[in-house]
Coordinates of all heavy atoms in Angstrom, one line a residue:
M139 N 49.0 -16.2 22.1 CA 48.7 -15.2 21.2 C 47.5 -15.7 20.5 O 47.3 -16.6 19.9 CB 49.8 -15.0 20.2 CG 49.4 -14.0 19.2 SD 50.6 -13.4 18.0 CE 51.7 -14.6 17.4
I140 N 46.6 -14.5 20.4 CA 45.3 -14.7 19.6 C 45.5 -14.5 18.1 O 46.1 -13.4 17.7 CB 44.2 -13.7 20.2 CG1 44.0 -14.1 21.6 CG2 42.9 -13.9 19.2 CD1 43.0 -13.0 22.2
K141 N 45.2 -15.3 17.2 CA 45.4 -15.3 15.8 C 44.1 -14.9 15.2 O 44.1 -14.1 14.2 CB 45.9 -16.6 15.3 CG 47.4 -16.8 15.6 CD 47.9 -18.0 14.9 CE 49.3 -18.4 15.2 NZ 49.8 -19.4 14.5
N142 N 43.0 -15.5 15.6 CA 41.7 -15.3 14.9 C 40.6 -14.9 15.9 O 40.7 -15.6 16.9 CB 41.3 -16.5 14.2 CG 42.4 -16.7 13.0 OD1 42.6 -16.0 12.2 ND2 42.8 -18.0 13.0
I143 N 39.7 -14.1 15.6 CA 38.5 -13.9 16.4 C 37.4 -14.2 15.4 O 37.3 -13.6 14.3 CB 38.5 -12.5 16.8 CG1 39.7 -12.2 17.8 CG2 37.2 -12.3 17.6 CD1 39.8 -10.8 18.2
I144 N 36.5 -14.8 16.0 CA 35.2 -15.2 15.2 C 34.0 -14.4 15.8 O 33.9 -14.5 17.1 CB 34.9 -16.7 15.2 CG1 35.9 -17.6 14.6 CG2 33.5 -17.0 14.6 CD1 35.9 -19.0 14.7
F145 N 33.3 -13.7 14.9 CA 32.2 -12.8 15.3 C 30.9 -13.4 14.9 O 30.8 -14.0 13.8 CB 32.4 -11.4 14.7 CG 33.4 -10.6 15.3 CD1 34.7 -10.6 14.7 CD2 33.3 -9.9 16.4 CE1 35.7 -9.7 15.2 CE2 34.3 -9.1 17.0 CZ 35.5 -9.1 16.4
D146 N 29.9 -13.3 15.7 CA 28.5 -13.5 15.4 C 28.1 -12.4 14.5 O 28.4 -11.3 14.9 CB 27.7 -13.7 16.5 CG 26.2 -14.0 16.3 OD1 25.9 -14.3 15.1 OD2 25.4 -14.1 17.1
M147 N 27.5 -12.5 13.3 CA 27.1 -11.4 12.4 C 25.9 -10.8 12.9 O 25.9 -9.6 13.4 CB 26.9 -12.0 11.0 CG 28.3 -12.6 10.4 SD 29.4 -11.3 9.8 CE 28.4 -10.4 8.5
G148 N 24.7 -11.4 13.0 CA 23.4 -10.9 13.3 C 23.3 -10.3 14.7 O 23.4 -11.3 15.6
G149 N 23.0 -9.1 14.9 CA 22.7 -8.6 16.2 C 24.0 -8.2 16.8 O 24.1 -7.6 18.0
V150 N 25.3 -8.5 16.2 CA 26.5 -8.3 16.8 C 27.4 -7.2 15.8 O 27.6 -6.1 16.2 CB 27.4 -9.4 17.1 CG1 28.7 -9.1 17.7 CG2 26.7 -10.4 18.0
L151 N 27.6 -7.7 14.7 CA 28.3 -6.9 13.7 C 27.3 -6.1 12.8 O 27.5 -5.0 12.5 CB 29.1 -7.6 12.8 CG 30.3 -8.3 13.4 CD1 31.1 -9.1 12.4 CD2 31.1 -7.3 14.1
I152 N 26.0 -6.7 12.6 CA 25.1 -6.1 11.8 C 23.7 -6.1 12.4 O 23.4 -6.8 13.3 CB 25.0 -6.8 10.3 CG1 24.6 -8.3 10.7 CG2 26.2 -6.6 9.6 CD1 24.5 -9.1 9.4
D153 N 22.9 -5.1 12.0 CA 21.5 -5.0 12.6 C 20.7 -6.0 11.8 O 20.3 -5.9 10.7 CB 21.0 -3.6 12.4 CG 19.6 -3.4 13.0 OD1 19.3 -4.2 13.8 OD2 19.1 -2.3 12.9
Y154 N 20.3 -7.2 12.6 CA 19.5 -8.2 11.9 C 18.4 -8.3 12.5 O 18.2 -8.9 13.8 CB 20.4 -9.5 11.9 CG 19.7 -10.7 11.4 CD1 19.5 -10.8 10.0 CD2 19.3 -11.8 12.2 CE1 19.0 -11.9 9.4 CE2 18.7 -12.9 11.6 CZ 18.5 -12.8 10.2 OH 17.9 -14.0 9.7
D155 N 17.2 -7.9 12.1 CA 15.9 -8.2 12.7 C 14.9 -8.4 11.5 O 14.2 -7.4 10.9 CB 15.6 -6.9 13.4 CG 14.2 -7.0 14.2 OD1 13.3 -8.0 13.8 OD2 14.0 -6.2 15.1
P156 N 14.8 -9.6 11.0 CA 13.9 -9.9 9.9 C 12.5 -9.5 10.1 O 11.9 -9.1 9.1 CB 13.9 -11.5 9.8 CG 15.2 -12.0 10.5 CD 15.5 -10.9 11.6
H157 N 11.9 -9.6 11.2 CA 10.4 -9.1 11.3 C 10.4 -7.7 11.2 O 9.5 -7.2 10.4 CB 10.0 -9.5 12.8 CG 8.5 -9.3 12.9 ND1 7.5 -10.1 12.3 CD2 7.8 -8.2 13.6 CE1 6.4 -9.6 12.6 NE2 6.5 -8.5 13.3
K158 N 11.2 -6.8 11.7 CA 11.3 -5.4 11.4 C 11.4 -5.1 9.9 O 10.8 -4.2 9.4 CB 12.4 -4.8 12.2 CG 12.4 -3.2 12.1 CD 13.6 -2.7 12.9 CE 14.9 -2.9 12.3 NZ 16.0 -2.2 13.0
T159 N 12.3 -5.8 9.3 CA 12.5 -5.6 7.9 C 11.2 -5.9 7.1 O 10.8 -5.2 6.3 CB 13.6 -6.5 7.4 OG1 14.8 -6.1 8.0 CG2 13.8 -6.5 5.9
L160 N 10.5 -7.0 7.5 CA 9.4 -7.5 6.7 C 8.2 -6.5 7.0 O 7.4 -6.3 6.1 CB 9.1 -8.9 7.0 CG 10.0 -10.0 6.5 CD1 9.7 -11.4 7.1 CD2 10.0 -10.1 5.0
R161 N 8.1 -6.0 8.2 CA 7.1 -5.0 8.6 C 7.2 -3.7 7.8 O 6.3 -3.0 7.7 CB 7.1 -4.7 10.1 CG 6.5 -5.9 10.9 CD 5.0 -6.0 10.7 NE 4.3 -4.8 11.3 CZ 3.4 -4.1 10.8 NH1 3.0 -4.4 9.5 NH2 2.8 -3.1 11.4
K162 N 8.3 -3.5 7.1 CA 8.4 -2.2 6.4 C 7.6 -2.3 5.2 O 7.2 -1.2 4.6 CB 9.9 -2.0 6.0 CG 10.8 -1.7 7.1 CD 12.3 -1.4 6.6 CE 13.2 -1.2 7.6 NZ 14.6 -1.0 7.0
V163 N 7.3 -3.6 4.7 CA 6.5 -3.7 3.3 C 5.1 -4.5 3.6 O 4.4 -4.4 2.7 CB 7.4 -4.2 2.3 CG1 8.5 -3.4 1.9 CG2 7.8 -5.6 2.7
F164 N 5.0 -5.1 4.8 CA 3.8 -6.0 4.9 C 3.1 -5.5 6.3 O 3.6 -5.0 7.1 CB 4.1 -7.3 5.1 CG 4.7 -8.0 3.9 CD1 5.9 -8.6 3.8 CD2 4.0 -7.9 2.6 CE1 6.5 -9.1 2.6 CE2 4.5 -8.7 1.5 CZ 5.8 -9.1 1.5
S165 N 1.9 -5.8 6.2 CA 1.0 -5.7 7.6 C 1.6 -6.9 8.4 O 2.4 -7.6 8.1 CB -0.4 -6.1 7.2 OG -0.5 -7.5 6.8
E166 N 1.2 -6.7 9.6 CA 1.6 -7.7 10.8 C 1.4 -9.1 10.3 O 2.3 -10.0 10.3 CB 1.0 -7.5 12.0 CG 1.5 -8.4 13.2 CD 2.9 -8.2 13.4 OE1 3.6 -7.2 13.3 OE2 3.5 -9.3 13.9
A167 N 0.1 -9.3 9.8 CA -0.2 -10.8 9.4 C 0.6 -11.3 8.2 O 1.1 -12.3 8.2 CB -1.7 -10.9 9.1
D168 N 0.7 -10.4 7.1 CA 1.5 -10.8 6.1 C 3.1 -11.0 6.4 O 3.7 -11.8 5.9 CB 1.4 -9.7 4.9 CG 0.0 -9.8 4.3 OD1 -0.7 -10.9 4.5 OD2 -0.3 -8.9 3.4
A169 N 3.6 -10.0 7.2 CA 4.9 -10.2 7.7 C 5.1 -11.6 8.5 O 6.1 -12.3 8.3 CB 5.4 -9.1 8.7
Q170 N 4.2 -12.0 9.3 CA 4.2 -13.2 9.9 C 4.2 -14.4 9.0 O 5.0 -15.4 9.1 CB 3.2 -13.4 11.0 CG 3.5 -12.6 12.3 CD 2.3 -12.6 13.2 OE1 1.3 -13.5 13.1 NE2 2.4 -11.9 14.3
Q171 N 3.4 -14.3 7.8 CA 3.4 -15.3 6.9 C 4.6 -15.5 6.2 O 5.2 -16.5 5.9 CB 2.1 -15.1 6.0 CG 1.9 -16.2 5.0 CD 0.7 -15.9 4.2 OE1 0.1 -15.0 4.2 NE2 0.3 -17.0 3.4
A172 N 5.2 -14.3 5.8 CA 6.4 -14.3 5.0 C 7.6 -14.8 5.9 O 8.4 -15.6 5.5 CB 6.9 -12.9 4.5
E173 N 7.6 -14.4 7.2 CA 8.6 -14.9 8.1 C 8.6 -16.5 8.3 O 9.6 -17.1 8.3 CB 8.3 -14.2 9.6 CG 9.6 -14.1 10.2 CD 9.3 -13.1 11.5 OE1 8.3 -12.4 11.5 OE2 10.2 -13.2 12.3
H174 N 7.4 -16.9 8.2 CA 7.1 -18.3 8.5 C 7.6 -19.1 7.2 O 8.5 -20.1 7.3 CB 5.7 -18.8 8.6 CG 5.5 -20.3 8.5 ND1 5.9 -21.1 9.4 CD2 4.9 -21.1 7.5 CE1 5.7 -22.5 9.1 NE2 5.0 -22.3 7.9
V175 N 7.4 -18.6 5.9 CA 7.9 -19.3 4.8 C 9.3 -19.2 4.7 O 10.1 -20.1 4.4 CB 7.1 -18.6 3.6 CG1 7.8 -19.0 2.3 CG2 5.7 -18.9 3.5
L176 N 9.9 -18.1 5.0 CA 11.4 -17.8 5.0 C 12.2 -18.7 6.2 O 13.2 -19.2 5.7 CB 11.7 -16.4 5.0 CG 11.5 -15.5 3.8 CD1 11.7 -14.1 4.2 CD2 12.1 -16.0 2.7
F177 N 11.7 -18.6 7.4 CA 12.4 -19.0 8.5 C 11.8 -20.2 9.0 O 12.6 -21.2 9.5 CB 12.5 -18.1 9.5 CG 13.3 -16.7 8.9 CD1 12.5 -15.7 8.5 CD2 14.6 -16.8 8.8 CE1 13.1 -14.5 8.0 CE2 15.2 -15.6 8.3 CZ 14.5 -14.5 7.9
G178 N 10.5 -20.5 9.1 CA 9.7 -21.6 9.7 C 9.9 -22.9 8.9 O 9.8 -23.9 9.4
T179 N 10.2 -22.8 7.6 CA 10.3 -24.0 6.7 C 11.7 -24.5 6.5 O 11.9 -25.5 5.8 CB 9.7 -23.6 5.4 OG1 10.5 -22.6 4.7 CG2 8.3 -23.2 5.5
G180 N 12.7 -23.6 7.1 CA 14.1 -24.2 6.8 C 14.6 -23.3 5.5 O 15.8 -23.7 5.2
L181 N 13.9 -22.7 4.7 CA 14.3 -22.2 3.5 C 15.4 -21.3 3.7 O 16.5 -21.2 3.0 CB 13.2 -21.4 2.8 CG 13.4 -20.8 1.4 CD1 13.9 -22.0 0.4 CD2 12.1 -20.2 0.9
W182 N 15.6 -20.5 4.8 CA 16.7 -19.5 5.0 C 17.9 -20.2 5.4 O 19.0 -19.7 5.1 CB 16.3 -18.7 6.2 CG 17.2 -17.4 6.3 CD1 18.2 -17.3 7.1 CD2 17.0 -16.2 5.5 NE1 18.9 -16.1 6.9 CE2 18.2 -15.4 6.0 CE3 16.1 -15.7 4.6 CZ2 18.2 -14.1 5.5 CZ3 16.3 -14.4 4.1 CH2 17.5 -13.7 4.5
N183 N 17.8 -21.4 5.8 CA 19.1 -22.1 6.0 C 20.0 -22.3 4.7 O 21.1 -22.4 4.9 CB 18.7 -23.5 6.6 CG 18.1 -23.5 7.9 OD1 18.2 -22.6 8.6 ND2 17.5 -24.5 8.3
N184 N 19.3 -22.3 3.6 CA 20.0 -22.3 2.4 C 20.9 -21.1 2.2 O 22.1 -21.1 1.6 CB 19.1 -22.4 1.2 CG 18.5 -23.9 1.1 OD1 19.1 -24.9 1.1 ND2 17.1 -23.9 1.5
I185 N 20.5 -20.0 2.6 CA 21.2 -18.6 2.6 C 22.4 -18.9 3.5 O 23.6 -18.7 3.2 CB 20.4 -17.5 3.0 CG1 19.4 -17.1 1.8 CG2 21.3 -16.3 3.3 CD1 20.0 -16.5 0.6
D186 N 22.2 -19.4 4.7 CA 23.2 -19.4 5.7 C 24.3 -20.5 5.2 O 25.5 -20.3 5.6 CB 22.7 -19.8 7.1 CG 21.9 -18.8 7.7 OD1 22.1 -17.6 7.4 OD2 21.1 -19.1 8.6
L187 N 23.9 -21.5 4.6 CA 24.8 -22.6 4.1 C 25.5 -22.2 2.9 O 26.4 -22.8 2.3 CB 24.1 -23.9 3.9 CG 23.6 -24.6 5.2 CD1 22.6 -25.7 4.8 CD2 24.7 -25.0 6.1
G188 N 24.9 -21.1 2.1 CA 25.6 -20.8 0.9 C 25.1 -21.7 -0.3 O 25.8 -21.6 -1.3
T189 N 24.1 -22.4 -0.1 CA 23.5 -23.3 -1.2 C 22.5 -22.7 -2.1 O 22.2 -23.3 -3.1 CB 22.9 -24.6 -0.6 OG1 21.9 -24.3 0.3 CG2 24.0 -25.4 0.2
M190 N 21.9 -21.5 -1.7 CA 21.0 -20.8 -2.6 C 21.3 -19.4 -2.4 O 21.8 -18.8 -1.5 CB 19.5 -21.1 -2.2 CG 19.0 -22.5 -2.4 SD 17.3 -22.8 -2.0 CE 16.5 -22.0 -3.2
R191 N 20.9 -18.6 -3.6 CA 21.1 -17.1 -3.6 C 19.8 -16.4 -3.3 O 18.8 -17.0 -3.4 CB 21.8 -16.6 -4.8 CG 23.1 -17.2 -5.2 CD 23.6 -16.9 -6.6 NE 22.6 -16.1 -7.3 CZ 22.3 -16.2 -8.6 NH1 22.7 -17.4 -9.2 NH2 21.3 -15.5 -9.1
F192 N 19.9 -15.1 -2.9 CA 18.6 -14.4 -2.7 C 17.5 -14.6 -3.8 O 16.3 -14.8 -3.5 CB 18.7 -13.1 -2.3 CG 19.3 -12.9 -0.9 CD1 20.6 -12.6 -0.6 CD2 18.4 -13.0 0.3 CE1 21.0 -12.5 0.9 CE2 18.8 -12.9 1.6 CZ 20.1 -12.6 1.9
P193 N 17.8 -14.4 -5.0 CA 16.8 -14.5 -6.1 C 16.2 -15.9 -6.1 O 14.9 -16.1 -6.3 CB 17.6 -14.3 -7.3 CG 18.8 -13.5 -7.0 CD 19.2 -13.9 -5.6
D194 N 17.1 -17.0 -5.8 CA 16.4 -18.2 -5.8 C 15.5 -18.5 -4.5 O 14.5 -19.1 -4.7 CB 17.5 -19.3 -5.7 CG 18.5 -19.2 -6.9 OD1 18.0 -19.0 -7.9 OD2 19.7 -19.3 -6.6
I195 N 15.8 -17.9 -3.5 CA 15.1 -18.0 -2.2 C 13.8 -17.3 -2.5 O 12.7 -17.6 -2.1 CB 15.8 -17.3 -1.0 CG1 17.1 -18.2 -0.6 CG2 14.8 -17.1 0.2 CD1 16.6 -19.6 0.0
A196 N 13.9 -16.1 -3.1 CA 12.7 -15.3 -3.4 C 11.7 -16.1 -4.2 O 10.5 -16.1 -3.9 CB 13.0 -14.0 -4.1
R197 N 12.2 -16.7 -5.3 CA 11.4 -17.5 -6.2 C 10.7 -18.6 -5.4 O 9.4 -18.8 -5.6 CB 12.1 -18.1 -7.4 CG 12.2 -17.1 -8.6 CD 12.7 -17.8 -9.8 NE 14.2 -18.3 -9.6 CZ 15.2 -17.4 -9.7 NH1 15.0 -16.1 -10.0 NH2 16.5 -17.9 -9.5
Q198 N 11.3 -19.3 -4.7 CA 10.8 -20.4 -4.0 C 9.8 -20.0 -2.9 O 8.7 -20.5 -2.7 CB 11.9 -21.4 -3.3 CG 11.4 -22.6 -2.8 CD 12.5 -23.6 -2.6 OE1 13.5 -23.6 -3.2 NE2 12.2 -24.6 -1.6
A199 N 10.1 -19.0 -2.2 CA 9.2 -18.4 -1.1 C 8.0 -17.9 -1.6 O 6.8 -18.1 -1.1 CB 9.9 -17.4 -0.2
C200 N 8.0 -17.2 -2.8 CA 6.8 -16.6 -3.5 C 5.9 -17.6 -3.9 O 4.6 -17.3 -3.9 CB 7.2 -15.7 -4.5 SG 8.1 -14.2 -4.0
R201 N 6.2 -18.9 -4.2 CA 5.4 -19.8 -4.5 C 4.3 -20.1 -3.5 O 3.3 -20.7 -3.7 CB 6.1 -21.3 -4.9 CG 6.9 -21.0 -6.1 CD 7.6 -22.3 -6.5 NE 8.5 -22.2 -7.5 CZ 9.7 -22.6 -7.5 NH1 10.1 -23.3 -6.6 NH2 10.6 -22.5 -8.5
S202 N 4.7 -19.9 -2.2 CA 3.9 -20.3 -1.1 C 3.1 -19.2 -0.5 O 2.4 -19.3 0.5 CB 4.7 -20.9 0.0 OG 5.5 -22.0 -0.4
L203 N 3.2 -18.0 -1.1 CA 2.5 -16.8 -0.7 C 1.3 -16.3 -1.5 O 1.4 -16.6 -2.8 CB 3.4 -15.7 -0.6 CG 4.6 -15.9 0.4 CD1 5.7 -14.8 0.3 CD2 4.1 -16.1 1.9
P204 N 0.4 -15.7 -0.9 CA -0.7 -15.1 -1.7 C 0.0 -14.1 -2.8 O 0.9 -13.5 -2.7 CB -1.5 -14.3 -0.8 CG -1.1 -14.8 0.6 CD 0.3 -15.3 0.5
E205 N -0.9 -13.8 -3.8 CA -0.5 -13.1 -5.0 C 0.0 -11.7 -4.8 O 0.7 -11.1 -5.6 CB -1.5 -13.2 -6.2 CG -2.8 -12.4 -6.0 CD -3.7 -12.6 -7.0 OE1 -3.9 -13.7 -7.6 OE2 -4.5 -11.6 -7.2
H206 N -0.5 -11.0 -3.6 CA -0.1 -9.7 -3.4 C 1.3 -9.6 -2.7 O 1.8 -8.5 -2.7 CB -1.2 -9.0 -2.6 CG -1.3 -9.5 -1.2 ND1 -1.9 -10.6 -0.9 CD2 -0.7 -9.0 0.0 CE1 -1.9 -10.8 0.5 NE2 -1.1 -9.7 1.0
M207 N 1.9 -10.7 -2.3 CA 3.1 -10.7 -1.6 C 4.4 -10.8 -2.4 O 5.4 -10.3 -1.9 CB 3.0 -11.7 -0.4 CG 2.0 -11.2 0.7 SD 1.9 -12.5 1.9 CE 3.5 -12.3 2.8
P208 N 4.4 -11.6 -3.5 CA 5.7 -11.9 -4.2 C 6.6 -10.6 -4.4 O 7.8 -10.6 -4.3 CB 5.3 -12.6 -5.3 CG 4.1 -13.3 -4.9 CD 3.5 -12.5 -4.1
A209 N 5.9 -9.6 -5.1 CA 6.7 -8.4 -5.6 C 7.4 -7.8 -4.4 O 8.5 -7.5 -4.5 CB 5.9 -7.5 -6.3
P210 N 6.7 -7.4 -3.3 CA 7.4 -6.7 -2.2 C 8.4 -7.7 -1.5 O 9.5 -7.1 -1.1 CB 6.3 -6.3 -1.2 CG 5.1 -6.6 -1.9 CD 5.2 -7.4 -3.2
L211 N 8.1 -8.9 -1.4 CA 8.9 -9.8 -0.7 C 10.4 -9.9 -1.5 O 11.4 -9.9 -1.0 CB 8.3 -11.2 -0.6 CG 9.5 -12.2 0.2 CD1 9.7 -11.7 1.6 CD2 8.7 -13.6 0.2
T212 N 10.2 -10.0 -2.8 CA 11.4 -10.2 -3.8 C 12.1 -8.9 -3.6 O 13.5 -8.9 -3.5 CB 11.0 -10.4 -5.2 OG1 10.2 -11.7 -5.2 CG2 12.1 -10.4 -6.3
A213 N 11.5 -7.8 -3.7 CA 12.3 -6.4 -3.5 C 13.0 -6.3 -2.2 O 14.2 -5.9 -2.3 CB 11.3 -5.3 -3.6
V214 N 12.4 -6.8 -1.2 CA 13.2 -6.8 0.1 C 14.3 -7.8 0.1 O 15.5 -7.5 0.6 CB 12.2 -7.2 1.3 CG1 12.9 -7.5 2.6 CG2 11.3 -5.9 1.6
L215 N 14.2 -8.9 -0.4 CA 15.1 -10.0 -0.4 C 16.3 -9.6 -1.2 O 17.5 -9.8 -0.8 CB 14.7 -11.3 -0.9 CG 13.7 -12.0 0.3 CD1 13.1 -13.3 -0.4 CD2 14.5 -12.3 1.4
L216 N 16.1 -8.8 -2.4 CA 17.3 -8.6 -3.2 C 18.0 -7.3 -2.8 O 19.2 -7.1 -3.1 CB 16.7 -8.1 -4.7 CG 16.1 -9.4 -5.4 CD1 15.5 -9.0 -6.7 CD2 17.1 -10.5 -5.5
R217 N 17.5 -6.7 -1.6 CA 18.3 -5.6 -1.0 C 18.7 -6.0 0.4 O 19.2 -5.1 1.2 CB 17.6 -4.4 -1.1 CG 16.4 -4.2 -0.3 CD 15.7 -2.8 -0.3 NE 14.7 -2.6 0.7 CZ 13.5 -2.7 0.5 NH1 12.9 -2.8 -0.8 NH2 12.6 -2.5 1.5
W218 N 18.4 -7.2 0.8 CA 18.6 -7.6 2.2 C 19.8 -7.2 2.8 O 20.0 -6.6 3.8 CB 18.4 -9.1 2.3 CG 18.0 -9.5 3.6 CD1 18.9 -10.0 4.6 CD2 16.8 -9.7 4.4 NE1 18.4 -10.5 5.8 CE2 17.0 -10.3 5.6 CE3 15.5 -9.5 3.9 CZ2 16.0 -10.5 6.5 CZ3 14.4 -9.9 4.7 CH2 14.6 -10.4 6.0
W219 N 21.0 -7.6 2.1 CA 22.4 -7.4 2.7 C 22.7 -6.0 2.6 O 23.4 -5.5 3.4 CB 23.5 -8.2 2.0 CG 23.5 -9.7 2.3 CD1 23.0 -10.7 1.5 CD2 23.8 -10.2 3.5 NE1 23.1 -11.9 2.2 CE2 23.7 -11.7 3.3 CE3 24.4 -9.8 4.7 CZ2 24.0 -12.5 4.6 CZ3 24.7 -10.6 5.7 CH2 24.4 -12.0 5.6
D220 N 22.5 -5.3 1.5 CA 22.8 -4.0 1.3 C 22.2 -2.9 2.1 O 22.8 -1.9 2.5 CB 22.8 -3.6 -0.2 CG 23.7 -4.5 -1.1 OD1 24.7 -5.0 -0.6 OD2 23.3 -4.8 -2.2
V221 N 20.9 -3.1 2.3 CA 20.0 -2.1 2.9 C 19.5 -2.5 4.2 O 19.4 -1.7 5.2 CB 18.9 -1.8 1.9 CG1 17.9 -0.6 2.6 CG2 19.4 -1.1 0.7
E222 N 19.0 -3.7 4.3 CA 18.3 -4.2 5.5 C 19.1 -4.7 6.5 O 18.5 -4.9 7.7 CB 17.2 -5.3 5.0 CG 16.3 -4.8 3.8 CD 15.4 -3.6 4.3 OE1 15.3 -3.2 5.5 OE2 15.0 -3.0 3.4
M223 N 20.4 -4.8 6.4 CA 21.3 -5.4 7.5 C 22.5 -4.6 7.6 O 23.6 -4.9 7.3 CB 21.6 -6.8 7.3 CG 20.4 -7.8 7.3 SD 20.6 -9.5 7.6 CE 22.0 -9.8 6.6
P224 N 22.3 -3.2 7.9 CA 23.5 -2.5 7.9 C 24.4 -2.8 9.2 O 23.9 -3.3 10.0 CB 22.9 -1.0 8.2 CG 21.6 -1.3 8.9 CD 21.0 -2.6 8.3
P225 N 25.7 -2.5 9.0 CA 26.6 -2.7 10.1 C 26.4 -1.7 11.2 O 26.0 -0.6 10.9 CB 27.9 -2.5 9.4 CG 27.7 -1.7 8.2 CD 26.4 -2.1 7.8
F226 N 26.6 -2.2 12.4 CA 26.5 -1.3 13.6 C 27.8 -0.4 13.5 O 29.0 -0.9 13.4 CB 26.6 -2.0 14.9 CG 25.2 -2.7 15.2 CD1 25.3 -4.1 15.3 CD2 24.0 -2.0 15.1 CE1 24.1 -4.8 15.7 CE2 22.8 -2.7 15.6 CZ 22.9 -4.1 15.7
P227 N 27.6 0.9 13.4 CA 28.7 1.9 13.2 C 29.8 1.7 14.2 O 31.0 1.7 14.0 CB 28.1 3.2 13.4 CG 26.6 3.1 13.1 CD 26.4 1.6 13.5
Y228 N 29.4 1.3 15.5 CA 30.4 1.3 16.4 C 31.2 -0.1 16.3 O 32.3 -0.1 17.0 CB 29.7 1.3 18.0 CG 28.7 0.4 18.1 CD1 28.9 -1.0 18.5 CD2 27.2 0.6 17.8 CE1 28.0 -2.0 18.7 CE2 26.3 -0.4 18.0 CZ 26.6 -1.5 18.4 OH 25.6 -2.4 18.7
M229 N 30.7 -0.9 15.6 CA 31.6 -2.2 15.4 C 32.6 -2.1 14.3 O 33.6 -2.9 14.4 CB 30.6 -3.3 15.1 CG 29.7 -3.8 16.3 SD 30.6 -4.2 17.8 CE 31.6 -5.7 17.3
E230 N 32.3 -1.2 13.3 CA 33.4 -1.1 12.3 C 34.8 -0.8 12.7 O 35.9 -1.5 12.4 CB 33.0 0.0 11.3 CG 31.7 -0.6 10.5 CD 31.3 0.5 9.5 OE1 32.2 1.0 8.8 OE2 30.1 0.9 9.5
D231 N 35.0 0.2 13.7 CA 36.3 0.5 14.2 C 36.9 -0.7 15.1 O 38.0 -0.9 14.9 CB 36.2 1.7 15.0 CG 36.0 2.9 14.1 OD1 36.4 2.9 13.0 OD2 35.6 4.0 14.8
F232 N 36.0 -1.4 15.8 CA 36.5 -2.4 16.7 C 36.9 -3.6 15.8 O 38.0 -4.2 16.2 CB 35.2 -2.9 17.5 CG 35.5 -4.1 18.4 CD1 36.3 -3.9 19.5 CD2 35.2 -5.4 18.1 CE1 36.6 -5.0 20.4 CE2 35.5 -6.4 18.8 CZ 36.2 -6.2 19.9
V233 N 36.2 -3.9 14.8 CA 36.8 -5.0 13.9 C 38.1 -4.7 13.2 O 38.8 -5.6 13.0 CB 35.6 -5.4 12.8 CG1 36.1 -6.4 11.8 CG2 34.4 -6.0 13.6
R234 N 38.2 -3.4 12.8 CA 39.4 -3.1 12.1 C 40.7 -3.2 13.1 O 41.7 -3.5 12.7 CB 39.5 -1.6 11.7 CG 38.7 -1.5 10.4 CD 38.9 -0.1 9.8 NE 37.7 0.0 8.8 CZ 36.8 0.9 9.0 NH1 36.6 1.6 10.2 NH2 35.7 0.9 8.2
E235 N 40.4 -3.0 14.4 CA 41.5 -3.0 15.3 C 41.9 -4.5 15.4 O 43.0 -4.9 15.5 CB 41.2 -2.5 16.5 CG 40.8 -1.0 16.6 CD 40.3 -0.5 18.0 OE1 40.5 -1.2 19.0 OE2 39.7 0.6 18.1

């Protein structure tokens, strides 16, 4: 008998495409730079581990970015879960079952 099922979240239960999200507010070059700071430095691992919250990640990431990038990056990060990673509609019923 199956008691538990473990799902991968990003790309399975939720639409997770960081580059697409960053391109909503940045040019291609700026999106790549933000992506590097967030994901290439290991900073995002703190979100995955639960050791930092999005406001903390935003503050730390913004220290490494040019002055025109912190406000839009912070705005995107603060709505990341609610707006930028919606659940796939077809998965909601499946998970409920």
Side-chain angles (χ1 to χ4, degrees):
M139 170 170 39
I140 298 174
K141 291 184 176 185
N142 299 308
I143 298 175
I144 298 172
F145 290 97
D146 181 12
M147 296 284 291
V150 178
L151 295 179
I152 57 175
D153 186 7
Y154 178 72
D155 186 344
H157 187 75
K158 179 176 77 173
T159 298
L160 293 170
R161 281 291 288 132
K162 290 179 182 180
V163 296
F164 293 121
S165 68
E166 179 64 28
D168 285 350
Q170 288 179 2
Q171 187 173 6
E173 211 169 345
H174 171 72
V175 168
L176 290 171
F177 301 98
T179 63
L181 186 57
W182 193 263
N183 293 341
N184 293 294
I185 288 289
D186 290 339
L187 294 170
T189 57
M190 289 179 80
R191 298 177 358 232
F192 279 102
D194 304 319
I195 294 291
R197 272 191 295 281
Q198 190 164 333
C200 290
R201 291 183 192 132
S202 303
L203 296 171
E205 65 182 40
H206 69 281
M207 293 179 67
L211 180 64
T212 299
V214 166
L215 288 174
L216 294 180
R217 69 176 191 253
W218 197 274
W219 284 109
D220 299 328
V221 176
E222 303 302 341
M223 294 195 324
F226 290 121
Y228 56 85
M229 290 303 292
E230 290 181 47
D231 291 336
F232 178 76
V233 171
R234 278 192 203 108
E235 292 176 18

